[in-house]
Amino acid sequence: MKQRLLVLVLAAGCVVLSAVSVMLSVREDNHPPVVSVEEMEITYAEGADYSSLLKGISAKDSHDGDLTDKVFVDRVIPLDNGKAVVYYGVLDSDKNVGTAVRKVEYVQNVPTDTQDKKNSETSDSQDDVKDDADVDAGPDGEEEELKPDGIRPAIALTADSAQIKAGDVFDATRFVKDVVDDKDDKNTLYRHIHADGNYDVNTAGTYELRIYVSDSEGNTSDVKTFSLTVQ
């Protein structure tokens, strides 16, 4: 009798533990918040506060609801074409992190003496610059628009090589001029830019990388060869 009672107690305990385990697993949230980026023209000046960068940014979480006021700017990476890539992040109550990226216009602050010198050089070489612009521009005086290759995305770089000092961080997105796809937006594509190849930012040498972008359907762009020199 005692043995049967003990078995019943143990069985009841197992049922309770199982129920608790199921409840905990149901309540567990492993899904990060979704950060949405509205397409708009934004210009950011170096050193300014981030309020303008948060325009058109919203975030929602399946458990916490609206987290728009929790979104933060993680970092701003200037590019070489007067633009910058802005990285956003948001954290929900379960410590899941949602991320997003956006490209904005970027104005770099230049010291007055440097700006005066640059203006003088620009004035002296105005004719040469105009000639170069005529060569690089399309028939209407504008750069040719990057378009998807059918269902494949396309990528354009600002340069095909770069030099960094040993120990510096290399971010391939700094050298991405534009990315396009027939379905995915730029925010999605910037999260899927790849830089393949073996390189060591702590060891001097020249490394050949392959930079490309993939879309949400697994289609990849043409590969751009990129030479990275670590000094």
Side-chain angles (χ1 to χ4, degrees):
M1 183 67 179
K2 291 183 179 180
Q3 216 171 14
R4 180 178 298 177
L5 182 60
L6 179 61
V7 170
L8 290 175
V9 171
L10 291 175
C14 289
V15 170
V16 172
L17 289 175
S18 297
V20 171
S21 177
V22 170
M23 291 178 63
L24 290 176
S25 63
V26 169
R27 292 181 59 187
E28 185 178 4
D29 179 17
N30 294 319
H31 300 288
V34 176
V35 182
S36 299
V37 180
E38 180 182 344
E39 291 291 338
M40 61 172 58
E41 294 294 330
I42 291 179
T43 299
Y44 175 73
E46 180 184 12
D49 64 70
Y50 289 158
S51 58
S52 63
L53 297 177
L54 292 171
K55 292 180 179 179
I57 301 295
S58 60
K60 289 186 177 180
D61 183 69
S62 58
H63 281 68
D64 296 342
D66 189 358
L67 293 177
T68 300
D69 60 345
K70 302 294 185 182
V71 178
F72 59 89
V73 175
D74 181 34
R75 61 190 187 277
V76 179
I77 305 296
L79 305 178
D80 296 332
N81 57 350
K83 296 182 182 296
V85 177
V86 184
Y87 291 81
Y88 299 92
V90 66
L91 197 67
D92 67 15
S93 59
D94 290 293
K95 308 304 181 184
N96 299 307
V97 180
T99 61
V101 295
R102 166 197 265 169
K103 184 181 285 188
V104 301
E105 300 293 329
Y106 183 78
V107 179
Q108 184 176 15
N109 292 330
V110 181
T112 304
D113 55 345
T114 303
Q115 185 63 51
D116 291 342
K117 182 179 178 181
K118 183 178 293 185
N119 291 338
S120 176
E121 292 174 350
T122 302
S123 178
D124 293 340
S125 60
Q126 186 173 10
D127 293 337
D128 292 337
V129 171
K130 184 178 184 301
D131 291 339
D132 291 342
D134 290 340
V135 172
D136 295 338
D140 297 327
E142 298 180 355
E143 294 183 6
E144 185 176 352
E145 181 183 0
L146 184 67
K147 297 181 179 179
D149 182 10
I151 63 172
R152 300 175 61 207
I155 186 171
L157 304 181
T158 60
D160 58 10
S161 64
Q163 294 182 349
I164 63 173
K165 294 182 180 179
D168 285 354
V169 175
F170 173 69
D171 185 352
T173 60
R174 291 191 59 185
F175 304 95
V176 175
K177 183 177 182 180
D178 198 9
V179 285
V180 294
D181 185 61
D182 63 330
K183 294 182 180 179
D184 292 347
D185 58 19
K186 296 184 189 298
N187 179 47
T188 300
L189 293 173
Y190 260 92
R191 293 200 297 266
H192 295 88
I193 292 174
H194 309 270
D196 292 347
N198 295 320
Y199 65 95
D200 185 351
V201 296
N202 296 310
T203 303
T206 299
Y207 305 90
E208 184 174 291
L209 308 181
R210 296 171 297 281
I211 299 178
Y212 62 95
V213 63
S214 61
D215 63 20
S216 57
E217 295 180 340
N219 303 307
T220 60
S221 68
D222 288 340
V223 175
K224 304 293 185 181
T225 302
F226 188 89
S227 178
L228 175 65
T229 299
V230 180
Q231 299 176 327

